[in-house]
Amino acid sequence: DLELKEQQDDRVRWWWSEAASRRWVRRRSSSATHGGDVQARTRAADGSGGSPGSATLLEDFGKMVRGEWIGHECSFEGATGKLEGLPDGYIPEEFLQWGVEPKGFESNHSSILRGDTLYRKHLRIIPTVDHFSDHTDVEEENFRHDVNQNGFDYFDCGSYVFAPQKVVIRKKSLDAVPKVEICLRDSIVNNDYRIVAVLRFDFGTGKFIKSLQIFQEKFDMDYADGQFVEPGSGFRSGWGAAEVLSEEKLHGRWRSHDGREESVRHVDVKDDKTQVLLFPSGIHAMATKTDSGEMAIELGWMVDDNTRLAMRTKYSSNGDFEESTKLVEKRD
């Protein structure tokens, strides 16, 4: 039952509510268009290398990414990894009077693959005092990705990454900020869970900047185009308010197999060339800029004390996309 499930898995306590009824939603819309062993797929900028985009692989990916995913969206400062609170405009006046401070938005993702296009609809659920109203206010964002374009890589477990094909050094503060969208589905412990992250970075400094969005989600039902969502109480603090991953748990030697060869690497959280951001629930992000100018961006997720999932994207010193690799690493 629900109580037993909560006791067994602390990671998902915040997903559940006593008032778990379904509601029709009112939307404020915006849209954006963008052009256990290890299973990994990589593709170089010229399209060569890695596993071919076979029909079977694409079909498997479509089955595993499809669905309604419920969870919490939290934002973190790119420079420090510090949790950002909700802007006051999203918090009901009564919450401010009561001292209630939501740390993240309840959210719903609708994902579906149609042909060669991945559609991601994000519904950000606005906190409300009237938890038992007959509607729920949301903000809607729509994204779509061509899975055949360079910079997009997908995997049969339902994970994917979308990275810009070219990045340049920003010369002015108003210049465009590149970002990588990464989805990691747990293929080791429980594949009902996944994380989705939008990581913004500066190629010149080799560090994360601006606000980083991270979603921790659970599969809820088959694809329904976001027609039903959980009521948005705003009283649940969200996973982002929990204790962050300790340096000791991440630091050390990790062994992996990327589909081509086995390797061992040392993760040094104190390395001056690597920015390491530690978040709750075992989630972490790393950005590395080498002396010769190459850059790597990595999202990691420790699904247990000795296993971490990772998606790593590399850029050349000229800012050209080179490859993305999904890894499952075991503590060595």
Side-chain angles (χ1 to χ4, degrees), residues 43 47 64 133 184 220 224 253 281 288 290 292 309 318 327:
R43 181 168 58 196
M64 297 300 285
S133 173
L184 278 175
D220 186 41
R253 286 165 53 90
S281 297
T288 304
T290 66
S292 55
L309 309 180
N318 295 322
L327 300 170

Side-chain angles (χ1 to χ4, degrees), residues 104-140:
F105 289 103
E106 296 170 65
S107 67
N108 186 97
H109 264 127
S110 297
S111 300
I112 190 170
L113 181 70
R114 291 193 175 109
D116 291 335
T117 302
L118 174 65
Y119 294 87
R120 175 170 73 91
K121 176 184 290 186
H122 170 223
L123 299 179
R124 178 178 294 120
I125 303 170
I126 308 304
T128 179
V129 175
D130 189 0
H131 189 60
F132 297 97
S133 173
D134 61 357
H135 68 266
T136 297
D137 286 333
V138 302
E139 289 183 342
E140 178 179 332

Side-chain angles (χ1 to χ4, degrees), residues 12 20 75 91 96 108 135 189 191 196 210 228 231 249 268 283:
V12 299
S75 296
I91 304 177
L96 300 177
N108 186 97
H135 68 266
V189 178
N191 67 5
V196 177
K210 303 289 186 180
F228 304 100
K249 288 187 175 181
D268 185 357
I283 302 170

Side-chain angles (χ1 to χ4, degrees), residues 19-20 33 46 53 66 77 101 108 113 115 117 155 157 160 163 193 198 211 222 227 246 255 275 282 314 325 330 332:
T33 301
D46 62 1
R66 175 188 175 107
E77 294 178 3
E101 298 181 18
N108 186 97
L113 181 70
T117 302
F155 306 84
C157 63
Y160 68 86
Y193 305 114
V198 178
S211 182
D222 192 21
Q227 292 302 310
S246 67
R255 183 179 299 274
Q275 179 190 15
K314 295 181 180 180
T325 306
K330 295 286 186 178
D332 190 45

Side-chain angles (χ1 to χ4, degrees), residues 146-218:
D146 180 351
V147 301
N148 295 313
Q149 65 183 317
N150 289 333
F152 191 97
D153 284 285
Y154 55 90
F155 306 84
D156 60 7
C157 63
S159 299
Y160 68 86
V161 54
F162 173 66
Q165 301 177 41
K166 178 76 174 180
V167 294
V168 297
I169 295 177
R170 299 171 66 242
K171 300 184 181 300
K172 300 178 182 179
S173 60
L174 295 180
D175 288 348
V177 177
K179 58 186 178 182
V180 176
E181 178 183 323
I182 300 171
C183 172
L184 278 175
R185 185 165 182 173
D186 184 354
S187 58
I188 303 300
V189 178
N190 190 329
N191 67 5
D192 279 344
Y193 305 114
R194 74 177 192 178
I195 59 174
V196 177
V198 178
L199 307 179
R200 295 169 176 84
F201 63 97
D202 188 316
F203 183 67
T205 63
K207 297 184 181 299
F208 297 110
I209 61 171
K210 303 289 186 180
S211 182
L212 312 181
Q213 286 176 286
I214 304 180
F215 304 80
Q216 191 175 25
E217 302 178 325
K218 177 184 182 295

